[in-house]
Amino acid sequence: MRLIFLGPPGVGKGTQAKRICEHYNLIHLSTGEILRNEIAEKTNIGRKAKSFIDAGELVPDDVLLGMMNNRLKKDDVQSGYLLDGFPRTIPQANGLDNIMNNISHSLDCALSLNADENELVQRLINRGKESGRSDDTPEIIRQRQKVYWEQTAPLLDFYREKNLLKEVNGIGDIPEITERILKVLN
Ligand code: AMP
């Protein structure tokens, strides 16, 4: 199975992605996590990404597409994966289509977790107190929400038109939301 998870920052994508990957035995590919590792290891990609992440902006499409083109060719993902936080723009979605076509992978579903923006901002401010993430401050959180609605939300129509979009209510407790997701995926 090959899945994409969409949804605004703070909706619980990462938490649900891990649970769904365990359930179906998929590789969890979170581009935010991959980029944070690149920064920690001071690689070229990390150097390019850091200022964008700290400002709550998207890292340029060519960086993401190059990185994911390499990643999706690796042996460990051949039996299935869940993309968490990628694609985030229409050019990334088109680029991902090309990458997947070239390696004869087809996408099973783009799953969108939905929630109200104000609730999410509050959740992220709370997370920021514990996570130590440099981009979990109130100002950057607002900026990341804005970026989502402007640049990523158009992907909902992109995948709806391909008949791949499934939407799930992201408000509730963690196991309850996992059940909703499993129900639409089955
Ligand atoms: P996340 O952990 O998914 O919230 O991502 C944290 C940050 O990493 C984002 O605010 C972006 O700066 C960057 N990032 C992660 N995924 C992407 C992507 N697909 N395109 C551009 N930037 C990304």
Side-chain angles (χ1 to χ4, degrees), residues 31-33 35-36 52-53 56-59 64 85-88 92 133 135 144:
T31 46
E33 258 172 42
L35 290 168
R36 284 188 288 279
F52 294 98
I53 292 185
E57 301 283 353
L58 294 183
V59 177
L64 268 293
F86 175 83
R88 279 245 220 323
Q92 287 183 22
R133 265 178 63 163
D135 57 352
R144 284 161 55 213

Side-chain angles (χ1 to χ4, degrees), residues 4-184:
I4 292 175
F5 263 29
L6 295 166
V11 74
K13 274 197 310 292
T15 304
Q16 293 299 332
K18 289 195 180 85
R19 294 168 65 88
I20 298 301
C21 284
E22 253 170 50
H23 186 92
Y24 291 113
N25 206 11
L26 305 173
I27 300 279
H28 178 204
L29 296 175
S30 154
T31 46
E33 258 172 42
I34 296 171
L35 290 168
R36 284 188 288 279
N37 281 338
E38 299 278 349
I39 291 173
E41 287 167 20
K42 298 195 163 65
T43 64
N44 272 338
I45 290 179
R47 267 189 286 275
K48 285 184 201 159
K50 184 168 181 358
S51 59
F52 294 98
I53 292 185
D54 286 347
E57 301 283 353
L58 294 183
V59 177
D61 291 336
D62 60 326
V63 175
L64 268 293
L65 285 168
M67 191 173 94
M68 294 310 278
N69 187 32
N70 291 333
R71 188 66 188 88
L72 293 179
K73 286 182 182 151
K74 298 254 164 76
D75 286 344
D76 64 329
V77 301
Q78 299 315 311
S79 58
Y81 47 85
L82 186 162
L83 302 178
D84 166 11
F86 175 83
R88 279 245 220 323
T89 64
I90 294 284
Q92 287 183 22
N94 282 318
L96 175 63
D97 263 4
N98 291 334
I99 291 171
M100 290 181 73
N101 279 337
N102 285 339
I103 50 179
S104 303
H105 287 183
S106 61
L107 184 66
D108 293 289
C109 174
L111 190 130
S112 171
L113 271 183
N114 299 340
D116 173 75
E117 181 171 348
N118 289 324
E119 162 134 3
L120 297 178
V121 170
Q122 198 48 53
R123 267 202 220 176
L124 281 174
I125 290 172
N126 292 341
R127 180 174 86 181
K129 292 176 189 150
E130 289 156 24
S131 72
R133 265 178 63 163
S134 57
D135 57 352
D136 272 348
T137 63
E139 188 192 337
I140 302 298
I141 287 166
R142 288 270 175 211
Q143 171 61 19
R144 284 161 55 213
Q145 295 289 332
K146 181 165 170 262
V147 165
Y148 176 80
W149 293 107
E150 286 175 2
Q151 302 195 55
T152 307
L155 296 185
L156 298 177
D157 275 338
F158 180 94
Y159 288 112
R160 194 176 282 125
E161 279 161 21
K162 293 177 185 286
N163 267 331
L164 288 169
L165 185 73
K166 298 238 161 78
E167 295 184 87
V168 168
N169 174 4
I171 301 292
D173 60 28
I174 291 172
E176 185 184 354
I177 298 168
T178 308
E179 282 308 312
R180 286 181 203 148
I181 296 172
L182 292 174
K183 208 161 146 196
V184 303

